[in-house]
């Protein structure tokens, strides 16, 4: 059956074999084409389990996951699902399979049985999209962590996916590598309309998404825009998750009686709202 959502997660629970409690319980979420959705949670909250359910590496114990309308329980659809839902993992070294960058990008296409003459333009276009064209003939082990992750992204892109699922793709990178990889993914989302599920424990990264799902103990505890989610300062702190510093400061000022509105994320947001409170006459509206 066709489905409007790109990914539909309906009342999904998952229990590992032999485990006494489920890693995920009754998770529901719909991801629309073109969305950039962050899944935020601390270690052990169930993020990777969720990621693996999204491309049929795992099958729900209960409930349904559908990707582009394809039910992940149907074994005959597994490859249809995996070429639409590409995964990037945490460790760039574990994702490199070839001795040259361009061969690495070719790997997924070979598995899909794409004819050679079609492979070359797809590889070039994927490497160009992640700005790694000049490294096509380089050895992957000579690249930085951020560059390796961009090659891994190119390998997924070459397969022309509908959605990229990145499971803590920046967790092993230095700050510049983190920025390089997140910027690349955001650009692919904006310019090519690729749907993104960005799994992270970095609050700053989740703050850049269209929508955030906060996962704790295998449950989605909060979901909404970054502003909506981070305004739950007390609940976030209870879950041992950070909120943007300006959101926390706005919350503290509010508790001291300053009438600040919700949805403050940045220094600019807070400066504007404090100015409104202190000098209401400056308001042009
Ligand atoms: P996260 O990615 O958020 O760190 P995971 O999805 O890896 O969380 O883990 C969720 C829960 O499932 C944790 O309690 C973890 O110990 C457990 N778990 C993860 N992988 C396995 C496995 N292969 N077998 C048994 N339990 C697992
Ligand atoms: Mg994980």
């Amino acid at each position: 059956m066709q489905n409007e959502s790109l990914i539909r997660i309906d009342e999904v629970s998952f229990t590992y074999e032999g485990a006494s409690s489920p890693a995920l319980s009754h998770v529901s979420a719909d991801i629309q084409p073109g969305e950039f959705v962050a899944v935020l949670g601390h270690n052990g909250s169930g993020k990777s389990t969720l990621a693996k359910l999204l491309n049929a590496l795992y099958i729900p114990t209960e409930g349904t996951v559908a990707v582009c309308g394809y039910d992940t329980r149907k074994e005959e659809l597994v490859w249809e699902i995996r070429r639409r839902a590409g995964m990037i993992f945490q460790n760039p070294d574990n994702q490199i399979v070839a001795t040259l960058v361009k061969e690495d990008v070719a790997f997924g296409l070979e598995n899909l049985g794409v004819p050679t003459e079609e492979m070359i333009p797809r590889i070039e276009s994927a490497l160009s999209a992640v700005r790694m064209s000049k490294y096509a003939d380089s050895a992957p082990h000579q690249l930085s962590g951020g560059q390796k992750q961009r090659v891994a992204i190119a390998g997924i892109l070459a397969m022309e996916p509908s959605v990229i699922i990145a499971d803590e793709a920046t967790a092993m990178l230095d700050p510049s590598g983190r920025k390089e990889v997140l910027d690349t993914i955001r650009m692919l989302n904006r310019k090519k309309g690729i749907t993104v599920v960005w799994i992270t424990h970095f609050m700053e990264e989740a703050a850049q998404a269209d929508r955030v799902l906060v996962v704790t103990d295998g449950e989605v505890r909060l979901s909404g825009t970054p502003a909506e989610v981070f305004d739950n300062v007390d609940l976030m702190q209870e879950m041992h998750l950070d909120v943007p510093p300006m959101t926390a400061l706005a919350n503290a000022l509010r508790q001291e009686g300053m009438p600040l509105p919700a949805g403050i994320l940045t220094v600019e947001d807070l400066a504007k709202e404090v100015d409104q409170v202190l000098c209401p006459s400056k308001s042009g509206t």
Side-chain angles (χ1 to χ4, degrees):
M1 198 182 76
Q2 273 316 106
N3 194 319
E4 275 178 51
S5 302
L6 199 110
I7 294 180
R8 170 158 285 182
I9 304 163
D10 189 20
E11 281 293 308
V12 167
S13 298
F14 183 84
T15 307
Y16 285 97
E17 222 174 288
S20 54
S21 56
L24 285 179
S25 319
H26 303 286
V27 170
S28 292
D30 275 343
I31 295 172
Q32 307 306 323
E35 259 195 307
F36 189 124
V37 176
V39 177
L40 177 66
H42 54 69
N43 213 2
S45 56
K47 304 184 299 298
S48 293
T49 306
L50 181 61
K52 288 170 183 160
L53 284 158
L54 299 186
N55 83 341
L57 281 169
Y58 294 161
I59 303 304
T61 311
E62 279 174 54
T64 311
V65 174
V67 177
C68 301
Y70 295 120
D71 186 334
T72 61
R73 273 176 307 207
K74 295 191 177 146
E75 242 173 86
E76 70 276 17
L77 298 176
V78 162
W79 292 107
E80 291 300 326
I81 290 166
R82 293 210 183 137
R83 73 186 181 84
R84 286 176 174 77
M87 291 262 277
I88 317 275
F89 297 96
Q90 191 174 104
N91 189 337
D93 293 312
N94 292 350
Q95 297 175 81
I96 305 279
V97 291
T99 50
L100 290 181
V101 164
K102 64 184 180 191
E103 289 169 358
D104 206 78
V105 178
F107 184 75
L109 296 180
E110 282 163 6
N111 282 343
L112 288 180
V114 172
T116 316
E117 64 276 13
E118 196 183 317
M119 276 171 58
I120 294 163
R122 283 219 218 172
I123 293 165
E124 282 171 0
S125 139
L127 280 173
S128 157
V130 301
R131 301 203 180 86
M132 286 294 287
S133 298
K134 70 174 178 193
Y135 297 96
D137 294 301
S138 301
H141 72 260
Q142 294 173 322
L143 304 176
S144 71
Q147 290 173 327
K148 285 179 195 167
Q149 286 299 57
R150 278 150 65 200
V151 171
I153 293 166
I156 299 295
L157 266 188
M159 298 198 274
E160 298 173 351
S162 306
V163 51
I164 295 180
I165 300 151
D167 186 4
E168 305 222 36
T170 61
M172 297 182 73
L173 307 179
D174 61 16
S176 72
R178 277 172 59 190
K179 182 172 179 335
E180 170 186 323
V181 171
L182 181 57
D183 286 352
T184 300
I185 288 282
R186 276 162 53 91
M187 182 271 292
L188 295 173
N189 173 253
R190 297 248 165 92
K191 298 226 169 108
K192 296 193 184 275
I194 293 178
T195 309
V196 174
V197 179
W198 184 263
I199 295 171
T200 186
H201 65 262
F202 293 119
M203 163 277 286
E204 306 86 330
E205 294 185 353
Q208 299 189 32
D210 297 330
R211 194 150 63 93
V212 184
L213 305 177
V214 180
V215 183
T216 296
D217 293 335
E219 291 177 28
V220 176
R221 292 285 298 279
L222 280 173
S223 94
T225 62
E228 287 165 352
V229 162
F230 290 123
D231 269 328
N232 296 279
V233 176
D234 297 337
L235 180 55
M236 292 293 281
Q237 282 169 351
E238 214 175 278
M239 294 189 277
H240 305 290
L241 289 167
D242 289 334
V243 300
M246 291 306 127
T247 310
L249 180 54
N251 188 56
L253 290 170
R254 227 176 267 126
Q255 282 170 5
E256 294 298 325
M258 192 177 234
L260 292 170
I264 292 168
L265 290 174
T266 63
V267 170
E268 291 74 24
D269 294 344
L270 184 57
K272 184 174 141 256
E273 298 302 343
V274 168
D275 195 40
Q276 280 286 321
V277 171
L278 299 180
C279 310
S281 58
K282 270 169 71 179
S283 164
T285 52

